[in-house]
Amino acid sequence: AKVYLDNLGNYSVALGKDKAAPIAQEDLAGYLQQVQAADSTMYIALHADEDIAYKEVVNVLSIANENHMKLVIATKK
């Protein structure tokens, strides 16, 4: 699952090559839990804008940790 955080703190999610769709922060954990239930090998690829507040990144890290999900931070060159 891909999780995107833009510079305004907006979240969006996508699976595979699907187009990213907006999601409310409070719905993110439930969404990721559903994806994990369907695919236990799922991991989260976090794409965060460089100007995003660190607390937003920590929120995603916490969801992953609490649910024993693998997480990678996607970076740009």
Side-chain angles (χ1 to χ4, degrees), residues 9-67:
N10 298 312
Y11 288 78
S12 55
V13 292
L15 289 176
K17 295 185 179 191
D18 292 347
K19 184 177 177 184
I23 190 167
Q25 178 196 3
E26 59 270 15
D27 296 334
L28 183 62
Y31 169 81
L32 292 172
Q33 289 165 348
Q34 285 181 320
V35 173
Q36 184 184 43
D39 180 1
S40 63
T41 65
M42 181 273 296
Y43 67 92
I44 302 166
L46 176 59
H47 301 260
D49 186 277
E50 64 185 18
D51 294 328
I52 195 70
Y54 187 66
K55 68 178 182 175
E56 300 296 339
V57 172
V58 169
N59 177 52
V60 179
L61 291 170
S62 295
I63 291 170
N65 186 47
E66 290 167 7
N67 293 281

